[in-house]
Structure formats: structure tokens, C-alpha cells
Amino acid sequence: MGARQSRNQKRSVAIVDDATSRIDALASLDDAAVAARARTLTAGGELADPAEFLAVLAVASQRSLGLTPFPVQSQAVLRLLEGDVIQMATGEGKTLVGAMAATGFGLMGRRVHVITVNDYLAARDAEWMRPLVEFFGLTVAAITEKLDAQQRRVAYASDVVYGPVNEIGFDVLRDQQITRRADAVQAPADVALVDEADSVLVDEALVPLVLAGNQPGVESTGQITDVVRHLREREHYTIDDDRRNVFLTDAGATRVEGALGIGSLYDDEHIGTTLVKVNLALHAKALLIRDIHYLVADGKVALIDASRGRVADLQRWPDGLQAAVEAKEGLDVTEGGKILDTITLQALMRRYPKVCGMTGTAVEATDQLRQFYDLHVSVIDRHRELRRFDEADRIYATAAEKNRAIVEEIVALHATGQPVLVGTHDVAESEALAEALAERGIDANVLNAKNDAEEARIVAEAGDLGRVTVSTQMAGRGTDIKLGGADETEHANVAELGGLAVIGTSRHRTARLDNQLRGRAGRQGDPGLSLFFVSLEDDVVTSGGSGESVSAQPDDSGLITAKRIQDFVGHCQRVTEGQLLEIHSQTWKYNQLLADQRIIIDERRARLLDTAQAWEELSRRSPERAAELADLDHPVREQAARDIMLFHLDQEWADHLAVMDDVRESIHLRAIARETPIDEYHRIAVREFKELAQRAVDKAVATFETVTIDADGAHLADEGLARPSATWTYMVSDNPLAGGGNSVVSGIGNLFR
Ligand code: ADP
Ligand code: MG
């Protein structure tokens, strides 16, 4: 791969040099002629002359946006067009690169979804890049949460569609519920161009998006919560080293059984029901910590999006866990509704014939991108050399000593006027630090759970003279930090002081997330500094190094400088990276089968929607009934048959998902020595799915024979077969990988594996 990689790189560099030399020749052409040239070069859906085409794009960018692409940007465009994930550092101008590549795909007749991590960035980038796309007579639009169905339909018909990954996924789910093709909002897309590709394709790939409908919700867990509330750690339950699992001890089980007045929790009667609820309540009590994993605001539990450290408005945990946390906090248990359909981001990406992407930290995700998506990484050089200085970690024996040192360091840096950006791991930590700084007379901007636009402003100001910004996860925030802020005259002053100083309050579970944070300093050849603090009590050290003991002699302040300890911290991080990859692969295997099954359902659905197959099948199964309907107009009876078939197909699929969810939760209890859990899970999934299709048809035939069908169609509601009158969407945050922070990973991983 190394050889292939460098061959590709050399070739792209040569093409880009060639492109640069051709730009002048295009100067004499007017806009229309430049656009026409692009059309000629892309006629037939292939790139006739890549160098000439890049020159055309550069000229168009210059004229429409006032930005002349740097050679490295043109090179990145080429790699994207070939379907790679490009690594380009923060601030190198990936927005322009993505738009040029998207325009290229668009000119070749392919519809592109430029996938962003949030609404704000989708809208910002679409507006910013609009002149470039429109220069060529192509159309561009952004999908945002507030658009209604008709507005979405119009937007999705554009050549280049910017959209946040969750909205695009929700639209896929909603389009899977329609019974007439004209109701669909999405138009087929050929290419997904993913910004912050490692966040979307790796960190959040396993997060399911959920579509739910109004039907009876979850039952109360009140009594179990009360019992579990009084259990004590070590006596009644134990927590494993990496704080990802909690186990009931024998004494704990006995106590729960006594309090609930039941026999053994492990009896068949309780194992899939009471025991599951007890485990959920125990997870909620022991592993999910208020202000780290969630906030309580306005009488509601608000999840903290672990990878971005902010409130995740539309996220819920799986229903049982959400209810357990709500019960623990003494809140009203919210209705879960009936889950109609779910899709993971991974499965969402598989719907695109071609995927490419861009991020500042792709290299560290090379294995995952290849293993899970068969994607290659191309590293793009910086436009200007990196002048950031990365200091060696400062390692302390205890967290208290570390925290003291962090405050001292910030105070010292701040005294020089250098802007400081501090990356913390959770909301609680960011607030504690801001308070400590306030006591020292430093008024820090705290960035954790705000809306995206406000957040973008705070991030943009983080490079101002004398500014201290305390943030939770910086990954995927997508806003540029300019030295001196918007005021360009300040740039030189701040650069003189050393540029932006980035401080990490502990290492993340992956080096990639460390680098995301570091990458905020030293953009576009600016000076900058990065420095991470570590204590031997940090989660990444205790869980990555569990079982290993190290000893070292700290100095008076608790600082340990031994090289051996530096290496040990690196080792611990590699262990936690390995653990995450393992969990990822496991979860991936579980998801894969359902993803394959959903493709079969999609195909079946599409046939039922677009052909008269529903009517043909039902009339074959029930010729007498078909004869009774002979007088009806063909379109009417075909639509009636379609409504009936789709209703049962969708319902069976939703039931299948629910069954498989239960199986997943209890698979460790079911798979007794005989088989591995994953094999057992597969066996059940295949068996259930086989019966699903047949059952859906049988039920449709029964409905076809009994339901009233007249000129108004099939009266399904009369038979209690109405579709939900309201639906809503959310993301389930049961993904242990969603977190990059030290503590965020704990808690919910194992239950759903
Ligand atoms: P990234 O997404 O790679 O972190 P952005 O796309 O947000 O970077 O761009 C960072 C900054 O660089 C923006 O202010 C943008 O206007 C500027 N920029 C990008 N490309 C160019 C260019 N070719 N010439 C001048 N400025 C550029
Ligand atoms: Mg960006």
C-alpha cells in the first residue's frame, strides 16, 4: 500500500504542477467560456484532462470566491475525486477542497452529498461555496433540521447537497415509511463526501439513528430503581477496572430478590425481564454520572454527546436505559414510543456507491477506514510548514498535583497575553477548571453545551489576544481559529507572542483525538504550542495499564520526568486504542447482518412501491377477493394492495428489530458454552428474518381478504392497522466509541454488545 500510495502522490503532484502552469491561459476566457470548458472536460462522466480541469476549478474559485487554491488543495481535490480519504490539517482549507471535488463530481453527472457533523456547518458551507458551484450552472442546497418535507425534496434534487449526517439518515428512515413514491424526499445520490471523516466513519459509525412512532411506551421501572438505589459498591456490586461493566455480587442478587419478593433472578422467568431491568438500573446508578454523561435540565435528562462534549438534543439512550436514568433522577419517565426503524451511520454510508472524505486526522484511523470501508488514506502536505511546538507530556503522580500544575501553566501563559485553548474531557471538568481560573482572576470562556452557532463564535474568538477558552471535546467542531480573531491586524501581534497555546488536561483514549486538539494550534504556518498533562490516576492510564505497576520518583511538585514513564503513558494509550478497536469490530459484526437484511427489505420495498407487484401477489394468493374488486380502477386497487403489503412489511421489520435488540441484550446469557455469542446471534437473526418475509405476506393476504377496499382505497385504520400519526427521530447513544474522553467511554458499552 505504501508504494501505491507514493505512486499516486507523485502522479497527483505532477498533475497539479501542470495545472498551475495552465491557469494563465484561461485568464482570457470569460466566465461562461470557463464553465463551458469544464463541461467539455467532464462530458461522458469521466475526467478527460485532470490538469486542465484543476486549472479550470482554480480559475472559477478565484473569480467566484476570491480564493486561489493552493497547490496542496488542488492535489487534495484530485485524491477525493479518486475516492480516498484525505488527511489535511486543520485550517488548511478543506471546505474549499470539498466544494471543488463536489463540483467535479457534479459536472460528471453524479449527485453528491457533502456530509457534515452538524446543521450549522451544512448551512455555512453551502452558502459559502454556493458561488463556486453555481459558477458552473450546477445547483447547491443545504439540508437543515428546520426544513419541511417539500423544502427537503427541493434541496435533495440539487446537484450538490450539504447536509448533517443525522438529518440525511433520518430522511432515509422516513423515506422507508412512505407508501407512494412521490412522497419520498430524497433523490438517489452517487457520492458521499464526508467532512470530519474520522468522526463520522469511525467514532460515530455505530450510533443508530432511530425513527419512532406514537404507540404505547415503556413500563415503569420505579420499584427496581428504589431497590437498586440502596445497593453498595463492593458489597452488592463490583465495577470493573475500565469502568465499563458493573456486576451484581451474590449478596447483591440476594438483596434484590428479597426486596422484590421473587425467587432467583437467574431463573428463566426473570432472566430476560427483571434481571435486564436490574442491570439497567445498576448501570444508571453506578456508571452513568450526572454532569459527565448527562445533564438534568428543565426536568429532563439531556445526554452529553461524548465526542463533542455538548448536549445532544436529539439523543436518547436505548429506552430501557433512558427510563432507568430518568427514574434514578426522580423524573417522569418519558414515553419511548414504538421504534419503527433504525439505521447506523455505517449502514447509511453503505448506501452510497462511492464514499470519500477529509479530516485532519485520517492517518490514525487508517486501519479502521480500510477494514470497515475499504477506503485509502492520502496524506496531503501542508501549504506552509508546521511551526507548532509539541511539548513532551507533563506527567504527575496524582490528579490533584496535575490539576494544580494545569492552573499554574495557564496563569503563566495568560500573563504573556498568548491565547490559551484548553481541552477538557467533560462538562464537569471544564466547569471546575473555569472556577479554579476565576479564583486566579482569569475569566475563561467555557465552551461545552451551547448551540452550534454560538459555539462557532466562541471557537472563532479563541485566538484573540489574552483569551482563555476552556472547551470539552474539540473534535468535529469544524470552526477555524484565527490568531487575533477576525481582526487581521492583530494576527502579527499574537503570532509574535507564540500563537495559540493548546493544553490538553489528559490524554484521550486515542492518539487521534489528542491530535485533533493539538491541530488547533499552528494553522497555516502560524506559530503555536501544544502541551498535554497526564496523571497516573487518569482513566487512560489506569485502564490501559491495569495490572501493571510502575514506580518513579516525582519531584516536589509531583512531576515525573523519567523517560520510562513517558513511554508507559504511550503504551497505556495504545492499549486503550486496541480495546476500542476490538469493541468496534465486535459491534460491527453484530450490525453487519442486520445491515444486509435491511438492504433486502429496501429492495423489496422499492419493488412494491414502483411496480404493481403487491396487487399481483395478493390477487394470486386470493383470486376470489381479487375478482370482487374487478370493478375498481387499476391504480386504486394497486395502491390499496401496496398499502396493505407495505404496512405489514414495515411492521414485521420493526418487530424484527425489536426482537433482535432483545436478543442482543441477553445474548451473553443465552449463548451457553456451545456457541460463541455472535454465532448464536447470527443463527437467530437468519431464522427470524426468513420467517419475517413469509409472515408479512400471510398477514397481508389476511388483511386483503377482510379489509374494506373501495374507490378511496384500503380502509386500514378501520382494522386497527393505521400507521403512526406522528413520528420523531433521535440518535441512540449506546456506542462506547462515541466518546473520545477518558470517562465518557465507561458505562454503557457492554450491555449492548
Ligand atoms: P479546515 O476545514 O481545513 O480546517 P477551512 O475550510 O475552515 O479549514 O478554512 C480555513 C481558512 O482558510 C478559512 O478562513 C478560509 O477562508 C481560508 N482559506 C482556505 N483556502 C484558502 C486559499 N486558497 N486562500 C486563502 N485562504 C484560504
Ligand atoms: Mg473544516
Side-chain angles (χ1 to χ4, degrees):
M1 185 205 121
R4 192 192 86 111
Q5 167 92 30
S6 75
R7 227 177 11 255
N8 285 341
Q9 295 282 26
K10 279 207 189 95
R11 198 163 49 85
S12 333
V13 171
I15 293 172
V16 170
D17 287 345
D18 190 8
T20 311
S21 69
R22 300 206 210 173
I23 288 179
D24 288 347
L26 294 167
S28 59
L29 301 182
D30 67 9
D31 290 1
V34 173
R37 187 89 192 96
R39 292 264 169 211
T40 316
L41 288 167
T42 50
E46 295 292 324
L47 257 194
D49 180 348
E52 178 80 2
F53 185 64
L54 289 175
V56 166
L57 280 179
V59 170
S61 166
Q62 202 169 6
R63 292 190 195 173
S64 60
L65 300 171
L67 295 174
T68 308
F70 307 128
V72 285
Q73 286 178 305
S74 294
Q75 196 191 335
V77 170
L78 210 52
R79 302 310 315 150
L80 283 176
L81 288 172
E82 300 216 348
D84 280 354
V85 172
I86 53 149
Q87 163 155 314
M88 261 185 119
T90 308
E92 291 283 300
K94 289 187 285 296
T95 314
L96 175 60
V97 166
M100 288 196 289
T103 303
F105 284 123
L107 284 165
M108 286 186 264
R110 305 211 234 157
R111 180 175 288 117
V112 191
H113 287 176
V114 182
I115 295 180
T116 62
V117 292
N118 62 40
D119 259 39
Y120 166 76
L121 290 172
R124 182 198 76 174
D125 293 354
E127 284 324 303
W128 185 10
M129 294 295 137
R130 175 179 301 283
L132 174 66
V133 182
E134 291 182 344
F135 183 94
F136 295 100
L138 297 172
T139 52
V140 55
I143 301 293
T144 55
E145 193 193 334
K146 60 179 195 302
L147 298 193
D148 65 22
Q150 182 52 26
Q151 290 167 322
R152 280 169 200 258
R153 204 168 290 128
V154 171
Y156 276 117
S158 303
D159 299 302
V160 177
V161 183
Y162 283 83
V165 65
N166 55 351
E167 284 304 317
I168 289 180
F170 290 145
D171 284 330
V172 167
L173 292 177
R174 282 186 287 250
D175 275 359
Q176 293 294 331
Q177 300 289 319
I178 56 169
T179 55
R180 291 164 197 270
R181 182 54 84 186
D183 292 340
V185 301
Q186 286 194 336
D190 306 291
V191 183
L193 197 164
V194 187
D195 195 9
E196 310 292 353
D198 55 338
S199 286
V200 174
L201 298 179
V202 178
D203 295 334
E204 303 199 359
L206 305 176
V207 172
L209 302 173
V210 180
L211 178 71
N214 52 345
Q215 280 187 31
V218 287
E219 49 188 295
S220 155
T221 51
Q223 195 195 0
I224 289 174
T225 305
D226 280 343
V227 175
V228 168
R229 196 190 301 281
H230 294 104
L231 300 183
R232 284 185 296 273
E233 188 172 350
R234 278 185 287 280
E235 183 181 352
H236 298 123
Y237 62 89
T238 56
I239 298 177
D240 69 4
D241 283 348
D242 60 4
R243 300 195 70 81
R244 206 180 280 147
N245 291 305
V246 53
F247 304 96
L248 216 49
T249 61
D250 288 346
T254 308
R255 177 163 177 154
V256 172
E257 287 154 2
L260 295 176
I262 58 170
S264 169
L265 273 172
Y266 299 92
D267 281 350
D268 279 356
E269 172 192 359
H270 295 299
I271 207 160
T273 53
T274 320
L275 182 59
V276 168
K277 285 187 194 150
V278 169
N279 275 329
L280 287 166
L282 200 53
H283 261 75
K285 170 186 161 70
L287 300 180
L288 294 181
I289 304 164
R290 187 165 166 167
D291 289 339
I292 290 183
H293 301 106
Y294 63 94
L295 303 170
V296 175
D298 303 333
K300 290 200 201 86
V301 168
L303 266 68
I304 295 173
D305 179 333
S307 61
R308 307 207 197 97
R310 66 183 120 188
V311 167
D313 281 336
L314 294 167
Q315 291 197 16
R316 288 172 63 89
W317 284 300
D319 278 341
L321 190 59
Q322 182 86 15
V325 173
E326 286 162 349
K328 164 186 165 188
E329 295 292 343
L331 306 170
D332 290 341
V333 173
T334 53
E335 202 187 303
K338 179 182 165 78
I339 293 179
L340 303 173
D341 200 0
T342 71
I343 189 171
T344 58
L345 300 192
Q346 160 211 352
L348 180 63
M349 288 303 142
R350 276 183 37 168
R351 295 171 58 86
Y352 293 90
K354 187 178 193 114
V355 175
C356 57
M358 40 193 202
T359 170
T361 44
V363 168
E364 300 92 327
T366 301
D367 289 347
Q368 286 97 327
L369 292 170
R370 194 177 47 221
Q371 183 178 342
F372 300 134
Y373 298 95
D374 199 20
L375 284 171
H376 291 277
V377 170
S378 276
V379 179
I380 307 296
D381 288 338
R382 287 170 188 269
H383 173 55
R384 292 203 187 83
E385 211 178 315
L386 179 65
R387 283 169 60 207
R388 184 184 72 220
F389 183 66
D390 299 329
E391 276 193 42
D393 292 352
R394 292 208 195 142
I395 304 174
Y396 290 83
T398 68
E401 287 160 334
K402 178 186 84 168
N403 290 337
R404 222 170 297 134
I406 290 171
V407 172
E408 291 308 324
E409 182 68 27
I410 295 169
V411 168
L413 285 166
H414 177 68
T416 68
Q418 194 172 359
V420 183
L421 172 69
V422 191
T424 61
H425 289 260
D426 53 61
V427 176
E429 189 193 357
S430 65
E431 282 174 354
L433 179 59
E435 261 172 48
L437 290 172
E439 278 171 24
R440 304 291 297 269
I442 296 176
D443 187 14
N445 263 345
V446 181
L447 178 62
N448 44 42
K450 302 258 172 34
N451 71 61
D452 296 326
E454 170 81 349
E455 177 185 297
R457 186 187 56 75
I458 296 180
V459 175
E461 291 173 0
D464 290 359
L465 191 69
R467 176 90 58 193
V468 177
T469 308
V470 177
S471 155
T472 45
Q473 295 301 322
M474 286 299 296
R477 286 199 191 262
T479 306
D480 200 28
I481 302 177
K482 292 198 171 85
L483 297 187
D487 184 355
E488 284 183 20
T489 57
E490 279 287 295
H491 183 276
N493 290 337
V494 178
E496 184 75 12
L497 293 168
L500 180 67
V502 165
I503 292 194
T505 59
S506 53
R507 293 272 290 264
H508 297 81
R509 283 194 172 235
T510 70
R512 180 161 51 81
L513 291 164
D514 290 348
N515 290 340
Q516 279 271 357
L517 179 59
R518 273 191 219 285
R520 292 296 166 162
R523 61 176 287 287
Q524 291 282 346
D526 286 338
L529 167 75
S530 84
L531 166 59
F532 278 75
F533 286 81
V534 177
S535 98
L536 297 182
E537 295 175 347
D538 288 354
D539 285 354
V540 74
V541 177
T542 54
S543 77
S546 71
E548 298 175 53
S549 66
V550 285
S551 58
Q553 196 53 49
D555 71 9
D556 289 348
S557 67
L559 184 68
I560 305 171
T561 48
K563 169 82 167 59
R564 198 161 40 81
I565 302 299
Q566 297 273 358
D567 293 344
F568 176 68
V569 169
H571 160 78
C572 291
Q573 190 179 49
R574 281 189 298 278
V575 171
T576 57
E577 280 173 358
Q579 290 166 347
L580 288 176
L581 186 57
E582 178 56 26
I583 296 170
H584 201 150
S585 310
Q586 279 295 328
T587 313
W588 192 271
K589 282 184 205 149
Y590 276 106
N591 289 349
Q592 202 61 25
L593 191 65
L594 280 187
D596 290 343
Q597 293 181 338
R598 105 164 269 118
I599 290 173
I600 297 173
I601 295 287
D602 282 5
E603 285 167 1
R604 167 92 174 136
R605 241 190 157 271
R607 262 196 318 279
L608 290 173
L609 270 179
D610 298 331
T611 71
Q613 190 177 11
W615 169 256
E616 287 158 13
E617 273 189 47
L618 289 176
S619 52
R620 192 164 53 243
R621 286 282 301 270
S622 197
E624 298 84 18
R625 178 62 170 152
E628 289 167 27
L629 303 172
D631 291 344
L632 285 178
D633 286 347
H634 284 210
V636 171
R637 66 186 201 189
E638 280 167 14
Q639 186 60 37
R642 187 174 290 132
D643 287 346
I644 294 168
M645 283 284 233
L646 288 172
F647 178 85
H648 287 290
L649 181 67
D650 293 344
Q651 194 149 60
E652 290 299 321
W653 174 246
D655 289 349
H656 181 63
L657 291 175
V659 168
M660 293 317 298
D661 212 40
D662 285 348
V663 173
R664 175 92 162 257
E665 280 179 31
S666 56
I667 197 72
H668 287 88
L669 308 172
R670 287 193 200 201
I672 320 160
R674 189 159 56 81
E675 277 177 293
T676 64
I678 184 83
D679 289 341
E680 173 79 353
Y681 179 86
H682 272 215
R683 204 175 51 70
I684 298 172
V686 169
R687 184 190 69 207
E688 291 287 327
F689 190 72
K690 212 182 275 167
E691 291 168 11
L692 179 164
Q694 194 52 49
R695 219 171 23 235
V697 176
D698 290 346
K699 287 187 176 176
V701 171
T703 302
F704 182 61
E705 287 173 348
T706 51
V707 75
T708 307
I709 300 176
D710 57 22
D712 295 329
H715 292 244
L716 286 168
D718 298 349
E719 305 280 312
L721 303 179
R723 289 180 172 269
S725 57
T727 61
W728 61 94
T729 51
Y730 56 86
M731 293 171 83
V732 174
S733 180
D734 70 344
N735 165 29
L737 293 171
N742 281 344
S743 46
V744 290
V745 177
S746 58
I748 32 187
N750 189 52
L751 248 195
F752 307 97
R753 228 186 291 156

